[in-house]
Amino acid sequence: MTFRTSLQTLAAAFLLLAGSFATQPLLAQSTLIQNAPGRRVLSLNGRWNYIIDPYENGFYDYRREAFDQSKSGKGGYYDNAKPSTKQETELIEYDFDHADALQVPGDWNSQRPELLYYEGTIWYKKSFNLQPKAGKRYHLYFGAINYEAHVYLNGKKLGMHKGGFTPIQYDITDRLNPGGDNFVVVKADNTRRPEEVPTINTDWWNYGGMTRDVFVAETPQTFISDYKVQLAKGNMGQLAGFVQLTGEAKANQTVTLSIPEAKITQQVKTDGEGRASFTVPARKLTLWSPQTPKLYAVTLSTGTDQVQDRIGFRTIETRGADILLNGKSIFMRGISMHDENPLIPGRARGEGDLRMLLTWAKELGCNYVRLAHYPHNETMLKLADEMGLLVWGEVPVYWTIAWQNPATYQNAENQLSDLISLGKNRASVVVWSIGNETPLSEPRLKFMSSLAQKARSLDDTRLISAALELHRTPDNVIHVDDPLGEFLDLTSINEYAGWYWGGKPSEITKYTFDIKYNKPVTISEFGGDALAGYHADADTRWSEEYQEALYQQQIKMLSTIKNLRGMTPWILADFRATRRQHPVYQQGFNRKGLISSTGVKKKAFYVLQEYYRQLAKQYDGK
Ligand code: GCU
């Protein structure tokens, strides 16, 4: 569990202090700095020495006691111990400096053949030199570590974090070595567990390790730690938001919001907690949309700090069956995607990978992407802002979660809070999804409805959704009456007629839909596998022609849904998945991609592209 509240942190610190005087108290995982990558940073990307530790010998002694909970707090690999004499008087059975290195950011599975299926602990170590400046604070920031991370600086524990797709951040100002030489050690453990989020079964590769950027961000002692600058809910002529300062001098500070191109300059004063809310008239804005992805230079400044961001302004809401972007009804022409580069299978490693994926989506004719099934890199959201793509963001509350475990719920809520915190200033983000294909039960409904309410409390300016459950009856009616639908703004469903059920593509137009809610409907998934280059007739599964026919028939079948206002077929590109073991057609890949794992566009790509061209003409008049 990540220490989130000051009370929990104090309790943890007391327990640690009571137990041992050698280890310093854990640091609270500090509230994520908004737009941290936009700060002055010391990058720690690059080669990190690593040790594979399936028995966790670097964490537990031979009686399975955690070294970092012992009286001395020492003994684990995080000491980065070195022999003090040439004779190596002390017995030390590890040595990072003579160990091999992994590239960070990057999952370990795709970097070493022997690690392709590895699930367990790998230790990472990196030395760095940082000469701290007076009046500055330093924040160690990991874009994501899958799944559980224990972080140590200069042999002392900073904290533990769970969640494989959201940032981890510690204020290390008081933990840096005066001389400037420091080393950070991370215990990354991607072991799947039933009570975690996601749980033990998913349909994606369990890529482990430090999969996103790592850096140390510098801020003033008192700095702008968080802010939101967006249009007020449903009001195209008014900005609303807040700014939060952190540091001793956070109270009673004047903060200036400046958007020169919109001729906006507004000053606000923070309260005793360092927070100030604001509303600002904004009449002459060019509103953000996929056709005109207008971004404004926004500056927030105090006497000691200044942050810049590029922010788009738009409204998103629903009215009956319609989704209204800036008050105009739209159709969300989307595609689903994983955070994976199919050409070099593994977690997307940086902006190049992300830009390639979104460029493919644009080529398909999309104005929308579903970033499944977990928080993607925050760079992805900035690129979507810039390229004009609406975004569905999601937490990995996927399939058979431990609905009755309070720690599981808290974990899901933590990940949802981070997802929303990271995306709240991104015009492209229009949907927060609280989960995917979760089986009906009372505990599941309580868990998911609480998550929906939490999402709405954190951000009432965006739509809340989830991939709901459906059921079929012998009269070929597809019923959508999942009780979770009551709590959502969009009725979204994954349906696999023509692949998992319903016969061949030519037979699926027999289905009709009975949807309980009078809300906009989006099809969050449909699709089928095709091995690129395998050609046969339209009835032959795994062939490109079968997938092509499936898309043609799905479009026909779905067009009968009068409230249909969007879709994100599954999926842009083939991706690695351990469930997919057919040695001829799959080879460990889920082949539902419209683009193969070698970048080849399959025939179905062009079916969807043509459909989206027609929809663009119908809705956007172009
Ligand atoms: C499910 C699930 C996806 C999965 C897909 C499939 O609906 O949401 O994560 O990959 O179907 O079966 O290919």
Side-chain angles (χ1 to χ4, degrees):
M1 168 63 78
T2 305
F3 292 112
R4 285 283 177 171
T5 63
S6 49
L7 188 62
Q8 282 171 311
T9 310
L10 279 176
F14 175 74
L15 285 174
L16 269 167
L17 281 174
S20 75
F21 296 94
T23 52
Q24 292 163 309
L26 291 182
L27 285 178
Q29 141 104 356
S30 34
T31 311
L32 295 176
I33 295 173
Q34 183 63 202
N35 193 12
R39 288 285 177 177
R40 187 167 179 277
V41 302
L42 168 66
S43 173
L44 299 184
N45 287 350
R47 314 287 293 159
W48 286 57
N49 298 100
Y50 74 97
I51 297 172
I52 306 173
D53 188 11
Y55 286 42
E56 298 182 288
N57 296 308
F59 189 73
Y60 295 105
D61 65 18
Y62 79 126
R63 293 299 185 233
R64 201 78 182 160
E65 298 285 338
F67 289 116
D68 66 18
Q69 301 302 309
S70 65
K71 275 231 172 303
S72 72
K74 288 181 168 308
Y77 288 174
Y78 49 82
D79 294 341
N80 188 29
K82 302 290 173 215
S84 60
T85 67
K86 205 167 167 331
Q87 294 73 19
E88 304 219 7
T89 318
E90 308 85 351
L91 170 60
I92 300 170
E93 297 182 275
Y94 68 94
D95 182 341
F96 279 112
D97 296 334
H98 288 87
D100 194 354
L102 284 172
Q103 182 64 25
V104 170
D107 62 87
W108 62 60
N109 313 71
S110 56
Q111 294 193 52
R112 296 283 182 287
E114 69 274 19
L115 296 180
L116 179 60
Y117 285 91
Y118 181 69
E119 294 189 312
T121 286
I122 283 188
W123 293 85
Y124 291 82
K125 177 256 173 183
K126 181 88 176 173
S127 298
F128 65 95
N129 184 281
L130 192 160
Q131 302 292 341
K133 295 187 203 106
K136 298 293 185 189
R137 300 204 71 80
Y138 294 90
H139 311 267
L140 179 56
Y141 187 96
F142 302 88
I145 302 176
N146 190 41
Y147 170 83
E148 179 179 303
H150 294 251
V151 182
Y152 305 81
L153 180 68
N154 300 324
K156 295 283 182 296
K157 188 160 200 175
L158 298 180
M160 185 274 279
H161 177 274
K162 284 185 177 183
F165 306 94
T166 47
I168 305 168
Q169 178 193 297
Y170 296 104
D171 182 335
I172 57 171
T173 311
D174 305 330
R175 300 289 181 93
L176 289 165
N177 284 335
D181 288 331
N182 301 277
F183 67 93
V184 56
V185 172
V186 172
K187 177 186 186 287
D189 177 3
N190 72 334
T191 303
R192 291 167 294 114
R193 293 182 175 89
E195 69 280 5
E196 296 303 332
V197 180
T199 180
I200 48 177
N201 59 332
T202 70
D203 188 27
W204 66 80
W205 206 269
N206 180 25
Y207 289 118
M210 297 165 69
T211 55
R212 293 178 187 159
D213 290 338
V214 184
F215 54 81
V216 178
E218 180 184 86
T219 66
Q221 278 291 347
T222 297
F223 63 99
I224 298 169
S225 52
D226 200 4
Y227 58 87
K228 179 175 183 178
V229 184
Q230 288 280 276
L231 281 177
K233 183 176 173 60
N235 184 336
M236 290 179 238
Q238 185 174 72
L239 295 185
F242 71 85
V243 60
Q244 176 68 56
L245 305 188
T246 294
E248 274 102 52
K250 64 186 178 184
N252 254 343
Q253 290 293 318
T254 299
V255 185
T256 304
L257 164 69
S258 150
I259 312 176
E261 197 184 343
K263 297 185 177 37
I264 288 174
T265 303
Q266 171 101 0
Q267 292 203 323
V268 290
K269 192 169 281 287
T270 59
D271 63 16
E273 293 308 309
R275 187 181 182 87
S277 302
F278 54 80
T279 56
V280 184
R283 293 203 209 302
K284 297 196 178 45
L285 288 175
T286 301
L287 297 182
W288 185 94
S289 72
Q291 296 95 310
T292 53
K294 171 70 181 169
L295 299 176
Y296 284 86
V298 175
T299 301
L300 285 161
S301 49
T302 67
T304 59
D305 194 16
Q306 185 177 90
V307 290
Q308 272 98 22
D309 204 339
R310 293 173 68 227
I311 298 179
F313 302 106
R314 54 101 192 96
T315 61
I316 189 77
E317 54 204 326
T318 61
R319 189 179 304 146
D322 289 332
I323 298 171
L324 305 178
L325 176 71
N326 303 324
K328 184 169 171 287
S329 176
I330 62 167
F331 191 98
M332 302 207 289
R333 310 185 305 271
I335 192 73
S336 293
M337 59 174 68
H338 267 298
D339 176 34
E340 176 163 344
N341 176 345
L343 307 182
I344 327 164
R347 283 280 161 257
R349 294 160 189 84
E351 183 170 330
D353 287 359
L354 305 175
R355 206 175 271 280
M356 178 188 77
L357 294 170
L358 294 182
T359 303
W360 278 341
K362 295 287 283 188
E363 207 181 325
L364 185 55
C366 296
N367 64 358
Y368 173 48
V369 289
R370 176 185 182 207
L371 302 184
H373 283 294
Y374 37 73
H376 285 221
N377 195 313
E378 59 185 298
T379 304
M380 194 67 154
L381 308 181
K382 290 184 176 170
L383 290 175
D385 271 7
E386 181 192 306
M387 297 170 71
L389 285 161
L390 299 161
V391 166
W392 160 306
E394 186 162 291
V395 284
V397 177
Y398 182 101
W399 291 356
T400 53
I401 294 287
W403 307 114
Q404 304 190 70
N405 182 324
T408 305
Y409 179 77
Q410 190 56 58
N411 184 339
E413 207 175 79
N414 289 345
Q415 295 189 47
L416 178 68
S417 304
D418 289 348
L419 170 79
I420 292 174
S421 175
L422 288 169
K424 61 180 179 281
N425 286 305
R426 306 278 71 86
S428 53
V429 181
V430 291
V431 180
W432 298 125
S433 167
I434 56 171
N436 180 74
E437 286 189 357
T438 51
L440 302 193
S441 72
E442 268 315 303
R444 168 260 192 181
L445 184 59
K446 184 172 179 314
F447 187 109
M448 298 298 278
S449 56
S450 304
L451 221 43
Q453 280 146 4
K454 178 70 179 175
R456 229 177 275 286
S457 71
L458 290 168
D459 183 355
D460 66 355
T461 65
R462 290 176 170 88
L463 308 179
I464 310 298
S465 192
L468 298 174
E469 292 294 273
L470 54 79
H471 58 97
R472 306 185 308 278
T473 41
D475 57 356
N476 295 327
V477 176
I478 296 172
H479 299 272
V480 181
D481 51 19
D482 183 332
L484 180 58
E486 290 292 349
F487 298 88
L488 305 177
D489 298 307
L490 300 178
T491 300
S492 301
I493 52 167
N494 299 349
E495 57 78 16
Y496 279 92
W499 185 256
Y500 290 122
W501 43 266
K504 297 179 290 196
S506 56
E507 298 168 287
I508 65 172
T509 47
K510 68 196 175 203
Y511 287 110
T512 57
F513 288 82
D514 167 26
I515 299 173
K516 177 180 177 184
Y517 307 105
N518 181 29
K519 300 178 180 180
V521 173
T522 72
I523 307 300
S524 30
E525 291 181 31
F526 73 77
D529 286 62
L531 176 64
Y534 172 43
H535 297 288
D537 62 34
D539 291 345
T540 302
R541 191 185 286 273
W542 305 109
S543 71
E544 284 199 42
E545 285 72 18
Y546 188 102
Q547 188 190 46
E548 178 187 38
L550 189 142
Y551 269 71
Q552 288 161 341
Q553 298 304 317
Q554 275 277 353
I555 289 166
K556 266 197 207 115
M557 177 186 75
L558 295 171
S559 303
T560 64
I561 300 173
K562 69 178 175 45
N563 285 14
L564 184 69
R565 297 293 183 275
M567 57 172 62
T568 47
W570 193 258
I571 186 169
L572 178 67
D574 292 354
F575 62 95
R576 269 220 187 98
T578 45
R579 300 170 69 88
R580 311 301 174 176
Q581 290 300 337
H582 194 293
V584 175
Y585 303 115
Q586 295 176 315
Q587 308 100 6
F589 281 83
N590 183 313
R591 296 280 185 206
K592 295 186 181 69
L594 294 176
I595 297 176
S596 76
S597 46
T598 59
V600 173
K601 294 181 180 71
K602 305 173 193 174
K603 295 176 88 168
F605 179 98
Y606 302 99
V607 173
L608 191 64
Q609 186 184 52
E610 175 53 26
Y611 175 54
Y612 282 176
R613 204 182 56 73
Q614 290 164 24
L615 281 171
K617 228 161 37 176
Q618 178 188 342
Y619 275 85
D620 306 345
K622 63 178 183 182

